[in-house]
Amino acid sequence: SQQGEEDPQALSIQEGENATMNCSYKTSINNLQWYRQNSGRGLVHLILIRSNEREKHSGRLRVTLDTSKKSSSLLITASRAADTASYFCASITGGGNKLTFGTGTQLKVEL
Amino acid sequence: EPEVTQTPSHQVTQMGQEVILRCVPISNHLYFYWYRQILGQKVEFLVSFYNNEISEKSEIFDDQFSVERPDGSNFTLKIRSTKLEDSAMYFCASGTRGGGEQFFGPGTRLTVL
């Protein structure tokens, strides 16, 4: 298995609903970050959660981290059509600086 | 708001040719990175650069690849002899501290024919 696997691979919801995406990882992390990628575009940093944090909020985003289960979740509340994108978790491990990305969840928010 | 820029947005080249992908990181950032994303696959780390030297590189970053910060603003990735499998979206990123948030550019789509 690989560092950083998201589920579900694809998620389709109605506008106004909440969207939850999960990420699992294998090796211990320094921090875990979530990024958004609109189709064919660059990656936008959403939120960073450190290994000693359990929950973090930013606007409509809520991220949790469970280091005992080596998993994280991203919750987007009151979703909008503009939230349609791919969402990736990415981790920093050891003393390095590189991000190891997950496989991503494709979110589609329909009107 | 400051952002990372990349040029060109799309580069088409023949196999065996050299390409240089250019990036202008955010001005007060000290850490610089290149990643790539082959169509339909994960984003993969290539190399990180700090204090004018490579701090970490992946197995992908072999002798065909090199990076340079020729002046105070540009950060380049050179592929000496491109292969078909080098076709991908290449992303530059920068950050203020190691292991922190990284801010990505819009990418350069490289197509090797």
Side-chain angles (χ1 to χ4, degrees):
Chain A
S1 232
Q2 300 172 35
Q3 183 82 345
E5 293 188 359
E6 281 102 321
D7 81 272
Q9 288 188 333
L11 180 61
S12 184
I13 59 173
Q14 298 293 313
E15 200 172 48
E17 294 180 338
N18 296 341
T20 299
M21 290 158 267
N22 302 297
C23 166
S24 61
Y25 57 90
K26 293 297 178 185
T27 59
S28 295
I29 59 170
N30 291 344
N31 65 63
L32 189 138
Q33 305 180 32
W34 286 88
Y35 287 81
R36 183 185 75 223
Q37 184 181 36
N38 289 81
S39 181
R41 305 287 295 277
L43 294 142
V44 175
H45 182 267
L46 297 176
I47 198 163
L48 179 153
I49 187 164
R50 293 182 173 78
S51 59
N52 61 352
E53 297 176 311
R54 292 296 166 258
E55 188 170 312
K56 206 159 182 182
H57 297 256
S58 177
R60 294 185 295 113
L61 306 180
R62 173 177 167 253
V63 167
T64 62
L65 180 65
D66 187 335
T67 52
S68 66
K69 293 181 181 176
K70 291 188 168 60
S71 68
S72 174
S73 67
L74 171 67
L75 168 68
I76 304 174
T77 59
S79 63
R80 304 167 183 165
D83 294 329
T84 295
S86 291
Y87 292 82
F88 296 89
C89 67
S91 58
I92 300 277
T93 60
N97 301 322
K98 70 177 185 184
L99 286 167
T100 300
F101 280 83
T103 49
T105 293
Q106 285 189 319
L107 173 66
K108 184 175 181 181
V109 181
E110 299 184 85
L111 295 168
Chain B
E1 188 171 331
E3 56 184 23
V4 176
T5 59
Q6 290 184 243
T7 54
S9 56
H10 193 185
Q11 172 96 46
V12 180
T13 189
Q14 296 291 322
M15 191 169 55
Q17 294 296 302
E18 174 183 287
V19 294
I20 297 176
L21 310 183
R22 302 179 192 280
C23 169
V24 179
I26 295 173
S27 62
N28 64 336
H29 287 186
L30 302 175
Y31 294 82
F32 313 111
Y33 310 87
W34 283 100
Y35 292 83
R36 78 173 186 191
Q37 185 179 32
I38 294 171
L39 190 63
Q41 297 187 23
K42 285 186 181 187
V43 176
E44 301 173 290
F45 169 79
L46 293 177
V47 66
S48 61
F49 192 86
Y50 170 72
N51 200 25
N52 285 319
E53 61 183 23
I54 290 173
S55 50
E56 196 172 356
K57 61 182 181 179
S58 71
E59 292 175 355
I60 302 167
F61 195 88
D62 61 20
D63 291 344
Q64 293 300 310
F65 290 85
S66 62
V67 289
E68 197 175 39
R69 188 154 162 82
D71 53 43
S73 59
N74 292 283
F75 181 51
T76 62
L77 174 70
K78 183 194 288 187
I79 309 175
R80 286 188 185 80
S81 179
T82 50
K83 306 183 186 84
L84 295 175
E85 54 264 37
D86 293 329
S87 293
M89 183 75 94
Y90 287 80
F91 294 107
C92 172
S94 67
T96 56
R97 60 185 180 89
E101 298 93 334
Q102 295 179 23
F103 297 87
F104 284 74
T108 292
R109 181 166 297 284
L110 176 65
T111 302
V112 182
L113 302 176

